[in-house]
Amino acid sequence: MPQLADLDLLLSVGSHGSVGKAAQAHSLSQPAASIRISAMERRLGIQLLERSPAGSKLTEDGEILAKYARNVIEAARELLEFGSGARSGETKRLRVAGSPAISEHLLPEWLNRSRFSFGEVRVEVQSGGVDALRGMIQTGLADLAFIDGWCEAGDRGQRHDRNDLVTRNICDDELAVVVGSDHPWATRSTPLTVAELAGAPLVVRERGSGLREFTDELLDAAHAPQSHVELPFNAAIKQAVATSRRVTVLNVSTVRAELAEGRLHLVAVDQDMPAKPIYAAWSERRGLPGYAAELVEVAAAKGSPVPVVGAGQRSRKAGSRSRLRPQQSPAIDVHEAIA
């Protein structure tokens, strides 16, 4: 009989597509994780993984075992939670996960607008990338995840995908050009052209991030020389822009506090800026606990993030054709969201 820890490790390999990444998630070395998977294969007499230099994926037998493993691990967690709740008298718990920007800038406000702030339920928040969040839902580590994805939301209702995920569109988070208060563009009255933006000294995210991919695509079209500083975190980018005359492109949700304080300013652009959809995801098999369903409704009712500007500062300059997109209510497919 495989151990629960080994089954959980197998599920992580399926979610991450890599024994090394799964090992890291379980605080194991890659050789140790490989030995445990190989031992489980020998014990069961089946091959669980297809291994290649590009990574590892579950075989057909591995997928079947993973299906049973999810049920076993979830049942074990529910048993442990029941025992813990019976001892402490605390039975209401909500495990929420979110992308880093959502967890930091949006989720606290959504929680404050719900009844969770009155102590009726214990809320545990985790953060991670898209693949990690999907894995948390599939393995039962989270009841609900809020994920941001780079795609256009379609005119469709709630969607179910082949990996037991249900997704619902919550809102859109528009991208915006941002400068510090000392930058000449902070008081500019005419829309900025993409060519002007491409020729400015920029602060950008690291290669491989969705924000960087959009920024590169936008600026490459201008065929202008680009001078930039590359930073891995939004907080570092905001600090660099606020204390210099550099320019950046960020999501509106991540700069609302700085706009309200007057440390950062939005600059209008002569074209529409795209919006990044934010959606909720949960397990179709386990469904949504009542508190989680309430949080989804609170988030959807709040709508798309809009700038909170300080006194004397306008969120959009006169004559701008760039605008915030209206909230879209349909849900989107998780696979399209991460394409």
Side-chain angles (χ1 to χ4, degrees):
M1 175 71 70
Q3 298 294 314
L4 287 177
D6 294 339
L7 293 174
D8 200 18
L9 177 62
L10 179 68
L11 293 178
S12 293
V13 175
S15 297
H16 293 286
S18 164
V19 174
K21 291 181 179 179
Q24 186 177 12
H26 288 258
S27 300
L28 296 171
S29 66
Q30 181 168 342
S34 296
I35 290 172
R36 289 171 63 168
I37 296 292
S38 297
M40 188 162 46
E41 288 178 319
R42 290 194 301 271
R43 189 179 302 117
L44 297 173
I46 57 176
Q47 182 180 351
L48 300 174
L49 298 180
E50 291 182 4
R51 300 166 174 85
S52 72
S56 299
K57 66 177 182 178
L58 299 180
T59 63
E60 183 176 350
D61 287 335
E63 292 283 3
I64 294 174
L65 180 60
K67 178 180 178 181
Y68 289 112
R70 291 189 187 98
N71 295 334
V72 170
I73 291 173
E74 178 62 19
R77 287 199 179 98
E78 290 177 355
L79 178 61
L80 291 174
E81 290 171 8
F82 170 77
S84 175
R87 290 192 303 271
S88 65
E90 181 180 20
T91 58
K92 298 177 181 178
R93 183 175 73 152
L94 175 60
R95 299 165 300 177
V96 185
S99 303
I102 296 174
S103 298
E104 182 178 356
H105 299 285
L106 296 177
L107 191 52
E109 182 177 355
W110 295 340
L111 289 170
N112 286 338
R113 287 176 173 267
S114 70
R115 53 178 166 161
F116 305 138
S117 58
F118 297 100
E120 295 184 14
V121 63
R122 188 175 82 231
V123 181
E124 300 172 2
V125 178
Q126 305 176 72
S127 182
V130 172
D131 290 339
L133 295 175
R134 292 179 61 195
M136 290 178 195
I137 293 295
Q138 291 168 343
T139 59
L141 289 175
D143 303 307
L144 170 67
F146 290 100
I147 307 174
D148 47 20
W150 291 86
C151 75
E152 293 289 338
D155 296 328
R156 291 164 293 184
Q158 187 168 288
R159 294 299 301 269
H160 303 246
D161 89 340
R162 62 179 178 272
N163 289 320
D164 186 41
L165 288 183
V166 181
T167 61
R168 174 181 171 181
N169 185 270
I170 297 298
C171 62
D172 290 330
D173 192 4
E174 191 194 10
L175 297 176
V177 176
V178 180
V179 298
S181 58
D182 291 334
H183 197 288
W185 289 353
T187 56
R188 179 173 174 138
S189 60
T190 57
L192 190 70
T193 66
V194 174
E196 287 178 295
L197 177 62
L202 298 168
V203 184
V204 297
R205 283 291 300 268
E206 76 283 4
R207 291 192 179 277
S209 70
L211 184 58
R212 176 61 180 273
E213 290 176 6
F214 161 75
T215 304
D216 284 348
E217 182 178 349
L218 175 69
L219 300 183
D220 284 346
H223 302 293
Q226 299 175 31
S227 169
H228 69 261
V229 173
E230 185 175 305
L231 295 173
F233 304 110
N234 289 340
I237 291 176
K238 290 189 290 185
Q239 179 65 15
V241 171
T243 56
S244 72
R245 291 199 171 190
R246 288 188 174 271
V247 185
T248 192
V249 177
L250 287 173
N251 297 101
V252 167
S253 66
T254 66
V255 295
R256 290 187 300 168
E258 290 80 8
L259 293 174
E261 296 167 356
R263 296 182 65 238
L264 295 178
H265 293 252
L266 298 186
V267 182
V269 183
D270 66 352
Q271 68 178 54
D272 283 346
M273 298 289 279
K276 180 170 61 173
I278 295 173
Y279 59 96
W282 62 90
S283 167
E284 180 177 19
R285 177 172 53 85
R286 288 188 300 273
L288 268 179
Y291 286 105
E294 178 184 338
L295 182 57
V296 170
E297 295 303 326
V298 168
K302 176 61 179 174
S304 300
V306 296
V308 180
V309 298
Q313 184 185 169
R314 292 173 293 173
S315 63
R316 298 286 168 183
K317 304 296 189 289
S320 170
R321 295 201 300 271
S322 180
R323 61 185 182 274
L324 287 171
R325 296 187 180 186
Q327 177 187 348
Q328 300 187 43
S329 57
I332 55 177
D333 191 298
V334 68
H335 294 296
E336 296 180 10
I338 62 174

